Amino acid sequence: MATFEGITIALSKGRILKDTLPLLAPLGIEPTENLDTTRKLIIPTTRADVRLLAVRATDAPTYVQHGAADIGVAGKDVLMEHGGEGLYEPLDLGIAKCQLVVAGPKDFDLSGRQRLKVATKYVNVARRHFAAEGRHVDLIKLYGSMELAPLVDLADVIVDLVDTGNTLRANDLEPLVHIADISTRLIANRAALKTKHTAITALINDLKEVLAP
Ligand code: AMP
């Protein structure tokens, strides 16, 4: 495949893409394909020196870590779970803000349980969180609808994102422990920051200007 000399940005389809495109538009970066309908995964933009990769949210750090994309956009939750090796995190885009929490049935006594069963898609984050408290927990990996797990005794508690808290409330659950404040971050490949220093720094500075003019 021909090498692309410009900047490749990894963006995940869905919430992040929807929130990120308005930040890129003032920089003259707009997709030339309709993202709702295109099946293309490499998407040219109105700037010849910038192209977008449509990736799965959890894959964005991996594309940037390995240099397949120079920069990317990922939730702090995804970065915490990924580990962030080889990545530089120059900018908090301040979008998709929420919290990562341990949640469970109302008034659940976390310390009263010898062996805790924790369902989550953030197994690394959950393991680290409970290990820091000196607790060894049984982790159950799920890919969605974590809130269901405590309701059907698959797990005692979950580690998940909470925004309004409506989903927890609707299922008679509540946040028990705050783990981290989450927002969307710009990430950059450390090597690309050196080899494409001028172009990437300019883009980061332009984005900063859009965020706080
Ligand atoms: P809420 O009912 O507003 O608390 O939203 C909770 C549900 O939305 C959970 O299933 C979360 O996993 C998901 N969620 C909340 N905020 C975000 C976010 N910033 N990014 C991705 N998923 C989120």
Side-chain angles (χ1 to χ4, degrees):
M1 201 183 80
T3 51
F4 181 70
E5 300 294 338
I7 302 178
T8 301
I9 308 178
L11 289 179
S12 54
K13 287 200 172 188
R15 192 185 299 228
I16 284 184
L17 188 67
K18 205 172 109 272
D19 290 349
T20 309
L21 288 180
L23 300 177
L24 293 175
L27 278 57
I29 303 170
E30 295 186 63
T32 55
E33 302 268 333
N34 180 345
L35 293 174
D36 292 329
T37 53
T38 185
R39 285 175 184 267
K40 278 197 177 173
L41 300 171
I42 300 179
I43 300 147
T45 74
T46 41
R47 261 176 57 176
D49 63 333
V50 179
R51 65 176 184 174
L52 307 177
L53 303 187
V55 303
R56 209 190 144 115
T58 44
D59 290 338
T62 307
Y63 278 88
V64 178
Q65 174 188 22
H66 293 279
D70 302 307
I71 60 178
V73 175
K76 185 66 182 171
D77 53 323
V78 171
L79 294 171
M80 287 170 68
E81 182 65 11
H82 173 270
E85 307 93 59
L87 298 175
Y88 175 60
E89 200 186 299
L91 213 51
D92 184 344
L93 298 177
I95 49 182
K97 285 186 179 175
C98 59
Q99 298 187 349
L100 189 61
V101 301
V102 180
K106 281 189 186 126
D107 303 321
F108 183 84
D109 180 11
L110 271 171
S111 53
R113 200 60 65 100
Q114 272 275 318
R115 185 96 188 190
L116 204 60
K117 281 193 293 177
V118 182
T120 185
K121 65 177 170 186
Y122 303 103
V123 286
N124 295 327
V125 173
R127 189 182 298 108
R128 278 203 304 272
H129 170 76
F130 286 105
E133 295 182 342
R135 295 194 72 161
H136 189 73
V137 295
D138 291 328
L139 291 165
I140 298 162
K141 169 88 180 178
L142 290 179
Y143 294 86
S145 298
M146 263 81 82
E147 295 88 351
L148 179 60
L151 307 183
V152 293
D153 282 333
L154 177 63
D156 300 309
V157 295
I158 60 174
V159 169
D160 194 12
L161 298 178
V162 187
D163 182 9
T164 60
N166 288 341
T167 310
L168 290 180
R169 267 191 299 279
N171 292 290
D172 291 322
L173 303 171
E174 66 178 10
L176 302 170
V177 183
H178 174 268
I179 300 179
D181 289 327
I182 301 297
S183 58
T184 304
R185 310 295 166 97
L186 188 76
I187 51 174
N189 175 276
R190 286 188 183 277
L193 262 180
K194 297 196 181 102
T195 54
K196 301 182 182 178
H197 182 78
T198 311
I200 293 181
T201 317
L203 197 140
I204 292 171
N205 286 337
D206 288 348
L207 267 177
K208 277 187 191 157
E209 194 60 30
V210 173
L211 290 170

